[in-house]
Every structure is written in structure tokens, then in C-alpha cells.
Amino acid sequence: MQDLYHEKTVDAQVRAAAALLRQSRRVVLGAHPLMDGDAVGSMFTLVHALRAAGKEVLAVTQDGGSGKYECLQDGIELCALEKLPPALSGYDTAVILDVGAQSRARRVLERLAPGTRVVNLDHHVDNPGFGDASVVLPDASSTGEVVYHVLKEAGLALNHAAAVALFVAVVTDTGRFNHSNSTPESFRIVASLIEDFGLQVSELTQRLYRSKSLGRIRLEAMVAETLETRLDGKIVVARVSTEMLLKTGCDAMDAAEMVTIPKSLGGGMLCLMFHEIEAQLLKCSLRSEGQMPVNEVAAKFGGGGHKRAAGLQVAGRPVAEVERAIIEACEVALVQTLGRTGGAIIC
């Protein structure tokens, strides 16, 4: 009975969001800072689908461009928020994508004119469900999957460019179908995109994963040199600094992707990727193999995310001090969790 109630609730949420998209004429799209493949892919899936339906769309970034996902733009401009007017007037709807905490979209939301309807599409378990219409599906592989269901309900068709963007959203957030969020539904969606739009998978994955700059490879080598382990290898720690980025010509989006290096070390249950931005500004990405929910640790430091992938940022305290506090919190949490579960994977 509870599952049926949940299903009806989700259906109602999807219908409400779809209705707002159908009614909209001018739409602002925003996501979290340093957009990853899911955020960028979800955004450009909507850009292409909404514009094909005759709607005017403004795609906004809170920081830089789309990095290695620039191919998804297909000639469409991605506008830096700092270059736009203080008030984004004349838009009837704003769609906020892949934002677990409303604060991560604050800079976009505060620019909206009064009366702008907000649609919140996400898959983070800690998303509070803000907005005039909110579809938060924690069991979805990606925000791209959420966008797919809302567009389908709205009767807004995908085209080839939207299909490519959606493919990127799902494939990147499932880690090329390596992560536990690789559900049968995520496989079905990608299979339908390949069949319906003739996507060239080899070409797309070449762009995403097998084409790196010399600077990017050098950065990976530098980060690998920082690897250290705790609790007999159960916790793996790595670091990237602003100085490393300057030496290699890489940027913050490259830094965010360095988390795959500590995560790849055999025997690790939990990995931490520290990014020292300034002397008193630290970003940390946390990844779990499933024995411990990292979003609970992230929440203690003002962050959040998924059980197996979370992040946080701390300002105003020395980086070394914050690192020690985070590592200690992770050690305590992992020992407690293993004592309770015996190392079983937490679903």
C-alpha cells in the first residue's frame, strides 16, 4: 500500500512539473556550481527539447563554461551569471537542475523576478523539495533520468541533440554504468536513445573519456602522488591544490573529476578528495563503496549528496585543520558502521 502511495505521489509530481513546462514560454535553466556531466547534460537536454517546441530558453552557469561537455551546446550559448542583468525579468519559469541543497542554486534563484515559477528536478536524497513543482527521485540514476520522465509526460519530444545530452547525463552519473545507481531503467533509457536517434556510442565515449590534454594527464599524476590511506587501506585520501591547477593549466572542473583517482585504489571503502582553493577555503568530495553513507558525514560540515557520493565546502578555517576534522569524522563513522553492519553494503 505504501509503495502504491509513493508511486501515485511521484506521478502527481511529474504531472505538475510537466504541466508547468508545457505552459511556459520563456524559461531560465540553472544548476549547481561547477556543473558535472549530469547537470550539463540535463540542462542541454532541456535546452534542445524546449527550443524545438518553440520556447525561449536561457541556460545559465554560476561559474565557467561547460568544459569537456562543450560539444553538447551545439552552437547554443551558455551564459555566465555574472554577465547577466541583476534581475532576470520576462521569464515565466525557471528550472533548477541537480541541486540537492537549495542554497547551491541561491545565486540563480535570487536573480529571478517575482512571480517566476520554479521547477525543481533532481535525484539527491537530501533535496527538500523546493519550488512550485518539484520532482525529486532518489532512486533515479541521474537528474537526466528525471528530466526524461518529465519531458515524456509533457509531450515534449527529444531530438538528436537532446538525446546526445541525455546520454551524457545518464552515462556520466552512473560512472559508465559502474556505480550502484545503474538501474534497469537507466539502461532502458540509454538503449532507447541509441535505437531512436542512432547515437554513435564509441564516438561519444571517445569525447568523454579517451581524449585528455597533456595538462590533464600531468594533473592526474600529481594527484596520484598525494595518495595516502587510513584504517588499513579502508580510507583513501588524495589532494589537489590551486598550485597544481596553475602548473598544469587545468581548472576547477578538472579538479572535481580527480576523485576517480583515490576511488580506484583497491581495498578502499571510502575515499576523500580534498581541493585546497585558498588558505581558508577547502572543498571535499566523498565517495563510498557502499559500506557507509557519506552524505551523513558531509552534512556535519554543511554539505550533502547521495549515500555513496557527497560533497562539502568549508570556508573561514585553516585547510589543514578542516582536513583533520573531516578525516577524523570519517574514521569514526566508518568504524561505527562496520561494527554495526559487519561490512555489508548499505542499499
Side-chain angles (χ1 to χ4, degrees):
M1 187 68 177
Q2 190 174 14
D3 287 344
L4 181 60
Y5 173 77
H6 175 70
E7 188 175 316
K8 288 182 177 179
T9 301
V10 168
D11 288 346
Q13 292 170 343
V14 171
R15 285 196 299 271
L20 284 186
L21 283 187
R22 278 196 306 269
Q23 297 163 13
S24 65
R25 295 184 179 277
R26 303 187 73 222
V27 184
V28 177
L29 303 178
H32 55 76
L34 296 178
M35 294 191 293
D36 58 6
D38 188 20
V40 176
S42 297
M43 180 175 287
F44 281 98
T45 298
L46 280 170
V47 170
H48 294 300
L50 293 174
R51 288 191 175 179
K55 302 177 188 296
E56 184 177 337
V57 183
L58 174 68
V60 172
T61 173
Q62 295 191 53
D63 32 59
S66 52
K68 70 179 183 181
Y69 306 110
E70 187 176 357
C71 59
L72 301 183
Q73 294 182 218
D74 200 23
I76 294 172
E77 184 179 7
L78 181 60
C79 300
L81 194 60
E82 62 184 23
K83 296 181 180 179
L84 294 171
L88 300 175
S89 57
Y91 294 92
D92 50 67
T93 306
V95 182
I96 304 300
L97 299 155
D98 202 38
V99 173
Q102 188 172 349
S103 59
R104 300 199 74 202
R106 177 185 55 80
R107 293 181 60 225
V108 178
L109 293 169
E110 67 187 10
R111 296 282 193 98
L112 301 178
T116 307
R117 300 169 303 194
V118 174
V119 177
N120 168 21
L121 305 181
D122 188 32
H123 72 133
H124 290 88
V125 67
D126 50 0
N127 188 305
F130 63 88
D132 299 281
S134 177
V135 184
V136 179
L137 306 179
D139 293 332
S141 66
S142 55
T143 295
E145 185 174 323
V146 179
V147 168
Y148 170 84
H149 290 300
V150 172
L151 287 175
K152 188 174 181 180
E153 177 65 30
L156 297 171
L158 298 175
N159 53 28
H160 186 273
V164 169
L166 183 57
F167 173 91
V168 169
V170 176
V171 169
T172 57
D173 232 39
T174 57
R176 288 178 271 184
F177 296 107
N178 283 321
H179 301 335
S180 60
N181 60 340
S182 304
T183 63
E185 180 66 4
S186 64
F187 280 99
R188 280 191 287 266
I189 289 172
V190 167
S192 70
L193 297 176
I194 295 169
E195 291 172 346
D196 295 345
F197 298 96
L199 300 190
Q200 300 299 309
V201 174
S202 179
E203 178 185 332
L204 290 171
T205 55
Q206 170 73 30
R207 292 184 196 174
L208 291 173
Y209 299 110
R210 299 195 299 278
S211 296
K212 296 181 181 180
S213 68
L214 181 58
R216 172 62 181 256
I217 294 172
R218 285 175 172 160
L219 178 62
E220 291 176 355
M222 289 180 181
V223 172
E225 287 292 326
T226 72
L227 284 174
E228 61 181 65
T229 61
R230 306 292 179 95
L231 294 182
D232 296 322
K234 294 181 180 68
I235 295 178
V236 185
V237 180
R239 296 173 176 84
V240 61
S241 67
T242 300
E243 183 181 359
M244 290 180 188
L245 300 184
L246 290 172
K247 284 183 177 179
T248 58
C250 293
D251 59 22
M253 290 184 74
D254 291 306
E257 294 181 351
M258 292 299 107
V259 70
T260 58
I261 294 175
K263 194 174 187 301
S264 65
L265 189 63
M269 294 181 177
L270 170 66
C271 79
L272 307 174
M273 181 72 233
F274 291 116
H275 177 191
E276 177 189 344
I277 301 172
E278 297 173 5
Q280 295 200 9
L281 180 58
L282 179 72
K283 180 180 173 65
C284 178
S285 297
L286 303 94
R287 298 292 185 270
S288 169
E289 290 302 314
Q291 294 90 348
M292 190 192 98
V294 289
N295 59 324
E296 294 179 5
V297 174
K300 294 178 180 179
F301 296 87
H306 305 289
K307 287 183 178 180
R308 300 193 184 187
L312 61 94
Q313 185 168 298
V314 178
R317 293 169 59 187
V319 164
E321 174 189 308
V322 178
E323 280 191 10
R324 284 195 299 271
I326 294 171
I327 292 172
E328 181 180 337
C330 287
E331 288 177 337
V332 170
L334 183 57
V335 169
Q336 289 177 344
T337 304
L338 293 178
R340 188 171 63 252
T341 66
I345 299 298
I346 299 172
C347 298

